[in-house]
Each structure stands twice: as structure tokens, then as C-alpha cells.
Amino acid sequence: MKRILVTGGAGFIGSHLCERLLAAGNEVLCVDNFYTGVRRNVTHLLDNSNFELLRHDVTFPLFVEVDEIYNLACPASPIHYQYDPVQTTKTSVHGAINMLGLAKRRKAKIFQASTSEVYGDPTVHPQPEEYWGNVNPIGYRSCYDEGKRCAETLFFDYRRQHNLRIKVARIFNTYGPRMHPNDGRVVSNFIVQALKGEPITLYGEGHQTRSFCYVDDLVEGFIRFMGTDDEITGPINLGNPGEFTIRQLAEMVVDLTGSKSAIEYRPLPQDDPQQRQPNIAKAKELLGWEPKIVLRDGLTRTIAYFDELLKENVPV
């Protein structure tokens, strides 16, 4: 039995990871400051004697005894990370420093949830891990993009300087149950608007593309990555290479919900990437991993989750 720390563990992806680690027989310490994570995501785990929930902000040091660390703590949607951009950068950078310091002290293996945002608005398509990106360092998204890029730098410097066992994953668009209903992400936005019969807001002409990975597939990639030899450090792209335009996504959501919602066009936000698609050749080769759940099936499960929230009158 391992004692595993998951920062951001009450968040969308973190809560699914906690479930998976507990199911494998581990002790899990879930840490979250509940800025975007919600207690509802992990309430069903509180009766498990191997699960512990701690309110803590990773920008402050944490002194606990653990064998492995998954560092997922950071707001990941533009609405949330742009609300307090200074704190977003601090969470990525100071949080990485504090978790790396803990891993160094405990000689623990540590996983960093990085992001496809390190590629910015890419000029290479699809994006391989060797691509250095096209990032605006002073724009509205920079607090997240550059914060995550700096965190990757710290992880590899700790590896080179202290021989720390690191795993760095670059996560592409992920969706599924427990997404924050007000996070401004395209999947949750479209589903909530469709279920409420509100206009579906499409930014630009809807020709920009994204690749959507169901959360269960992503967590499987995390587990496989952490189980690899110490020499396999990443960064490794984790995402679904299936590419869809935002308009195609909107039309699919309308179809699956049976909604009468019309599509409403709005100006494209600054630095919004025109294309985003992972090259997952490394994940296939090194992890034996690729997504299994097609977008239509994953959306059906996600719609059912949001429909239940609306029936329970949870604010969305």
C-alpha cells in the first residue's frame, strides 16, 4: 500500500484520480483549497478509511509523509485562472516548488499535471512534445501558460540537480462528470446552455479545433505513466487525437440533449488557439496508452451528470 498525495484532489480530474488510486488499494491524501474544487466531488469517498481530505493551499509548504505525489493543483479554465492571474502564477510556480521540495525530502516520485497550453497558439499541427510552442508571455492567458511552462522547468531542474523521480504530462482538453458547471470551458458551457434551452455561445466562427479526451481515459494515462521506469520522465502528451471544430461540438451537444437552443456568435477572445490536437505517439510507445471512449459516448455520460445537477437545483 502506497500513501499518495493528490493536490487539487477535489477538482474535476483530481477526484476521479483519487477514486482510481483508492480502488487500487492505496491510501490517498486529497489536498485542495476549494478555489475551483468542490467538496461534493469527494463526499462519497469520506467514509473510506484510506481517504483523507485536507484543506490547504499549495503556495504554502506542506509537511506530510507520502510515497508519491500527483500535483494537479491549479485553476485550469480561462474564467478561473484569469480571475486572479497573480495567484494563478503563484499556484503553478510556488506550488511546484513546494511539492518538489516535499518530494525531495521524502524521496517520493512526483507527477506534474502540465498542459497543452504550453504550446500556446501552435504553428505546428498536431503538437509533438518536441515543439517549443508559440506563447504570448504578456497576454491574458500568460498567467496559466507561462506558469505551467515555468513549473516544467522546475521539475526538470530538480531532476538534473537532485535526481528527483519526475513525470510530466501535458494534458489536452478533458471532459466528463464533475466538470465545474461555471468554469467557462466549451464542453460544460454548451451542455448547460443546451439543457437550459439557452443560446449556445460560439466564439469566432466556430472553425477553431479542439481534441476532447474523456476523464477516465486520461486518468488511465496518469496511472500508466507513474508506473513506468524512472528514466521515462516526459513530457508526454495525454489527450485524444480526434479533432473536432467547436461548431461540430455544439451541434453534437444540441443533438444529444434534444435541445432547441440556437447558436449565438461572439468575438474570439485574445490569444485563443486556432488549433489544438495532440501527437500521442510517445504515449502509445512508452505507456501503451491511447483513448478508448469516443466523443459521442463521453458526452452522453457528461450530459447525464449535468442533467442530474440541474434536477438537484445545484447552481449552474
Side-chain angles (χ1 to χ4, degrees), residues 31-268:
V31 166
D32 208 296
N33 69 350
F34 297 104
Y35 177 63
T36 56
V38 290
R39 192 178 180 87
R40 179 179 68 246
N41 287 344
V42 293
T43 300
H44 63 294
L45 303 177
L46 294 174
D47 290 335
N48 190 320
S49 60
N50 288 330
F51 181 77
E52 183 179 355
L53 178 61
L54 174 66
R55 182 186 290 267
H56 179 81
D57 189 322
V58 296
T59 61
F60 298 95
L62 180 63
F63 301 98
V64 291
E65 305 304 309
V66 293
D67 306 304
E68 291 182 354
I69 301 167
Y70 286 84
N71 186 38
L72 276 60
C74 189
S77 71
I79 284 179
H80 290 145
Y81 67 63
Q82 290 173 15
Y83 178 76
D84 190 346
V86 172
Q87 184 63 26
T88 295
T89 303
K90 288 173 69 176
T91 300
S92 287
V93 177
H94 291 190
I97 291 170
N98 288 328
M99 291 305 107
L100 286 163
L102 173 61
K104 179 187 170 188
R105 180 178 69 83
R106 287 292 305 148
K107 296 182 172 57
K109 188 186 299 185
I110 181 168
F111 177 101
Q112 167 67 0
S114 191
T115 173
S116 60
E117 294 295 335
V118 301
Y119 299 123
D121 189 4
T123 57
V124 173
H125 190 75
Q127 295 82 57
E129 291 85 351
E130 292 77 17
Y131 177 52
W132 289 358
N134 177 38
V135 177
N136 177 358
I138 58 170
Y140 288 106
R141 302 171 74 101
S142 306
C143 57
Y144 186 66
D145 301 0
E146 297 289 34
K148 289 288 192 176
R149 285 163 70 96
C150 184
E152 285 196 15
T153 300
L154 286 161
F155 266 70
F156 281 93
D157 281 338
Y158 265 80
R159 168 72 174 179
R160 287 183 283 260
Q161 190 169 338
H162 303 295
N163 200 31
L164 210 61
R165 295 180 295 155
I166 67 166
K167 306 288 181 183
V168 176
R170 290 176 178 165
I171 302 168
F172 283 68
N173 287 58
T174 303
Y175 70 101
R178 300 187 205 139
M179 292 184 80
H180 197 296
N182 298 313
D183 64 5
R185 297 190 202 190
V186 64
V187 172
S188 50
N189 265 7
F190 287 178
I191 291 175
V192 170
Q193 289 167 344
L195 289 173
K196 288 184 169 183
E198 298 172 349
I200 290 182
T201 51
L202 211 62
Y203 294 93
E205 297 298 317
H207 300 316
Q208 63 271 41
T209 66
R210 295 293 184 272
S211 304
F212 302 100
C213 184
Y214 191 69
V215 64
D216 289 356
D217 281 335
L218 184 74
V219 169
E220 174 66 23
F222 285 11
I223 301 295
R224 291 195 184 198
F225 193 4
M226 274 295 254
T228 57
D229 294 339
D230 292 347
E231 292 72 26
I232 300 175
T233 60
I236 291 181
N237 290 336
L238 292 178
N240 194 320
E243 188 178 17
F244 296 84
T245 67
I246 299 302
R247 184 179 179 88
Q248 285 176 316
L249 176 69
E251 291 169 347
M252 193 179 298
V253 169
V254 168
D255 178 47
L256 289 171
T257 57
S259 175
K260 303 297 183 184
S261 294
I263 293 177
E264 183 179 276
Y265 293 91
R266 294 186 182 178
L268 198 65

